[in-house]
Amino acid sequence: MSNAHHRIVIIGAGSAGLCTAVHLRQAGIDDYVILEQGDGIGGTWFWNRYPGAECDVQSHLYSFSFEPKVDWSQPFAGQAEILEYLNLVADKYDVRRHIRFGAGVSSLHWHDERSVWEITTRDGRTLSAQIVVSAIGMFNELVWPKIPGIETFEGHYWHSARWDHSHDITGERVGVIGIAASAVQFAPQLAPIARELRLFQRTANWVVPKANTPYSAARIEEFRRRPELVQQSREEIYAVWNTLATFGDKQVLADIERAGLARIAEVRDPRVREKLTPNHPFGCKRPLFSDLYYPIFNRDNVELVTENIECITDQGILTADGMEHELDTIIYSTGFHTTSYLTALDVTGRNGLAIAEAWRDGAQAYLGVSTSGFPNLFMLYGPNTNQGSILFMLERQVEYMMRQVRRIMDEDLAWIDIRRDVMDAYNEQLQRDIANVDVWQAACGNEFYYRAASGRFVTQWPHSMDEFRARTSRPNPEDYDVRARHRGQGVAAMATATHHRTQQSGRGT
């Protein structure tokens, strides 16, 4: 792979990378390579293999529109079934031959004089590309809590996103630090087999009902015979998620909170119920869904611990009340650096601009796809694109990106770069719109998931999926600066053809 050149390099073989590859195939573009740090495809669904892992969006919608699956085993599919589906997509659309496994990327550097990206992998190999697509998304950099003594623990420990399936916790004393999206799924799987299960909770979360009864064999067969029923189901699910994640309907939010409180009421111990009851509105933090979580607190071997953790000892966890909880295994369910995006890599753009400097106030991009100063670089599941079904959102981003890719090729451009005034106007309006979402302004610790260190919201899309589709569908060639190749002098010499229309700086906002 050393010094190889490709038209397009895609970073990541998860859902976003696969979606891009399929669209490239449909456009007749075969000169691309996917660099994947792991040894399999699937991204989040490849790495997160903890017990009970499943999607929180119904699979009739959490699947690509160009490759519907009619025989999902249950409404919210589990990790293994989703991973199987993504592998099917890769094989059906001949993507696998383009993937280089074990090729984690360490740096991206734009060369102004040659108008190419130089990509360096973690093992020191290099390649170049005219266009780079970042498909690393939000969930790629693990968070380990800053608790003293982690390395001193003499038992077993791991992060939930890198589950150690070689170790059997049956009959063990298990502690879980971090009670959020992953823990509410795997804790009910551990409770029946662990001798003791202690859940260390910092903040109570809303965990609301999730009807996930598996489909009967007869129902699955009916879906196979009548695929229009799956399409109808997809449309019905879309109608709900289209506005649910905007958190604007107060009645819907109140109904969800009542349902959540009804589930908490199933916990028999009043002291535990009180500790499990959130003191912030639903939606302030990432919503969680489970019908299995709250019942585990009626088990004699499950304990909820809300005292602050002082440190990890060689035998377990010491809390602020002076109690040492002796444990055999500690599981850190502490999530990801969701606000990092491309700053997880060493990236420099035009004139050596580092993306960490460009984003010193937090990650930002136009429609979450293009960020000014970094030509021919497109992000998927980029800043402020988290809403509803991410696979729907990804398809819209890829379609938008493909228009820019086709323009580069059709007009024989050296590069294309979103205008700074356009990006700034878009993001200023976006932050104003986010400020109008009441539940996101409450105090609940959402800075760990939604906000950059500056306080800027960098993950959420505050509008409907319909609105995102409308904005990504608009033709907007004037929003980009471009540079055309100088046909008489090769790649190194380019003639600038930039479009400055400052009177339209608010376009696209």
Side-chain angles (χ1 to χ4, degrees):
M1 191 167 61
S2 180
N3 298 321
H5 181 79
H6 296 273
R7 172 76 82 171
I8 299 171
V9 164
I10 302 167
I11 306 173
S15 301
L18 293 179
C19 186
T20 301
V22 171
H23 279 75
L24 291 175
R25 172 189 171 94
Q26 293 171 343
I29 300 170
D30 195 59
D31 182 13
Y32 73 90
V33 64
I34 301 177
L35 304 179
E36 168 55 48
Q37 65 176 327
D39 57 9
I41 71 159
T44 291
W45 301 108
F46 172 81
W47 293 107
N48 288 265
R49 300 180 182 223
Y50 56 82
E54 63 186 23
C55 193
D56 283 337
V57 175
Q58 298 93 323
S59 292
H60 286 165
L61 180 59
Y62 193 87
S63 47
F64 294 122
S65 63
F66 56 79
E67 190 55 43
K69 175 178 166 65
V70 298
D71 57 353
W72 292 105
S73 65
Q74 57 192 37
F76 300 87
Q79 174 268 333
E81 192 170 12
I82 296 171
L83 186 60
E84 179 183 34
Y85 167 76
L86 294 175
N87 273 277
L88 178 149
V89 171
D91 291 334
K92 180 173 180 178
Y93 293 90
D94 194 26
V95 176
R96 202 176 297 272
R97 67 184 173 88
H98 292 274
I99 304 174
R100 306 293 181 263
F101 293 110
V105 172
S106 61
S107 67
L108 301 172
H109 297 301
W110 173 256
H111 288 266
D112 292 310
E113 69 283 358
R114 293 187 292 130
S115 296
V116 298
W117 283 100
E118 182 180 90
I119 303 100
T120 303
T121 60
R122 292 175 184 171
D123 60 4
R125 292 182 288 177
T126 62
L127 65 162
S128 62
Q130 182 185 17
I131 298 167
V132 169
V133 179
S134 170
I136 64 174
M138 288 172 55
F139 305 112
N140 59 81
E141 189 177 2
L142 303 184
V143 169
W144 287 91
K146 295 178 180 179
I147 302 174
I150 289 179
E151 298 83 1
T152 67
F153 180 58
E154 294 179 356
H156 293 83
Y157 69 93
W158 59 79
H159 194 286
S160 59
R162 301 294 184 268
W163 197 274
D164 183 0
H165 286 279
S166 69
H167 182 72
D168 185 3
I169 67 164
T170 301
E172 288 194 343
R173 300 165 299 175
V174 180
V176 177
I177 296 176
I179 311 302
S182 299
V184 301
Q185 293 184 341
F186 70 70
Q189 309 299 315
L190 306 189
I193 62 174
R195 174 155 59 105
E196 298 174 5
L197 179 62
R198 291 192 177 110
L199 304 176
F200 293 80
Q201 172 187 281
R202 182 172 54 185
T203 305
N205 288 295
W206 286 102
V207 183
V208 299
K210 181 179 184 178
N212 200 24
T213 302
Y215 295 120
S216 67
R219 184 59 168 163
I220 293 174
E221 182 57 32
E222 185 178 24
F223 284 144
R224 289 193 181 109
R225 287 187 293 103
R226 300 180 59 194
E228 69 273 12
L229 294 178
V230 174
Q231 179 59 31
Q232 179 182 339
S233 173
R234 180 183 176 93
E235 292 169 359
E236 291 170 353
I237 296 166
Y238 179 92
V240 173
W241 279 101
N242 186 42
T243 56
L244 174 61
T246 64
F247 301 101
D249 191 319
K250 303 299 185 183
Q251 185 58 54
V252 168
L253 297 181
D255 290 344
I256 291 174
E257 288 192 4
R258 276 193 292 271
L261 291 172
R263 289 301 166 89
I264 296 174
E266 297 173 4
V267 178
R268 291 191 290 267
D269 188 324
R271 293 171 299 176
V272 177
R273 285 201 305 270
E274 183 179 0
K275 292 178 180 179
L276 289 169
T277 302
N279 59 8
H280 57 265
F282 175 80
C284 182
K285 301 180 74 172
R286 176 182 175 177
L288 308 179
F289 305 86
S290 175
D291 285 340
L292 307 177
Y293 179 63
Y294 290 125
I296 70 174
F297 293 100
N298 292 326
R299 300 180 60 95
D300 293 336
N301 68 325
V302 176
E303 179 183 358
L304 181 67
V305 182
T306 56
E307 293 287 339
N308 289 335
I309 295 174
E310 290 289 314
C311 66
I312 308 298
T313 69
D314 59 350
Q315 297 300 313
I317 298 173
L318 180 67
T319 48
D321 57 359
M323 179 177 291
E324 182 175 15
H325 303 263
E326 294 187 356
L327 301 166
D328 302 303
T329 295
I330 298 175
I331 301 167
Y332 293 90
S333 180
T334 44
F336 304 85
H337 290 286
T338 56
T339 62
S340 296
Y341 299 101
L342 267 176
T343 58
L345 309 178
D346 174 17
V347 182
T348 58
R350 290 169 61 185
N351 301 313
L353 175 65
I355 202 160
E357 174 61 23
W359 287 355
R360 62 185 179 275
D361 292 329
Q364 52 190 296
Y366 181 70
L367 295 171
V369 178
S370 297
T371 192
S372 185
F374 299 84
N376 294 3
L377 174 63
F378 303 101
M379 292 171 289
L380 304 176
Y381 206 175
N384 297 109
T385 60
N386 195 37
Q387 212 273 18
S389 173
I390 190 56
L391 264 64
F392 174 88
M393 298 289 281
L394 283 174
E395 287 196 58
R396 307 292 78 77
Q397 293 163 56
V398 172
E399 290 165 358
Y400 176 88
M401 176 196 72
M402 287 302 300
R403 290 209 311 274
Q404 316 313 322
V405 170
R406 283 191 291 267
R407 182 184 181 193
I408 290 170
M409 296 181 178
D410 292 347
E411 298 181 21
D412 194 25
L413 300 177
W415 53 254
I416 184 171
D417 189 14
I418 192 70
R419 285 169 35 203
R420 182 59 190 258
D421 62 314
V422 170
M423 187 184 79
D424 286 349
Y426 168 83
N427 277 280
E428 287 165 8
Q429 182 61 52
L430 188 66
Q431 293 300 310
R432 288 193 290 270
D433 295 342
I434 287 171
N436 288 327
V437 181
D438 293 342
V439 297
W440 290 343
Q441 312 315 313
C444 63
N446 61 19
E447 66 270 15
F448 297 105
Y449 189 82
Y450 294 156
R451 298 178 186 265
S454 65
R456 185 187 191 92
F457 258 70
V458 298
T459 61
Q460 303 307 105
W461 171 250
H463 305 293
S464 66
M465 291 188 289
D466 276 351
E467 178 64 19
F468 191 77
R469 172 165 46 192
R471 296 200 193 190
T472 53
S473 298
R474 296 172 186 161
N476 63 336
E478 69 279 6
D479 291 342
Y480 283 84
D481 289 336
V482 303
R483 176 170 288 183
R485 294 185 186 276
H486 192 291
R487 283 183 168 76
Q489 298 182 22
V491 176
M494 305 291 174
T496 302
T498 56
H499 300 284
H500 291 292
R501 302 184 182 186
T502 55
Q503 69 274 26
Q504 297 183 6
S505 62
R507 181 181 175 85
T509 62

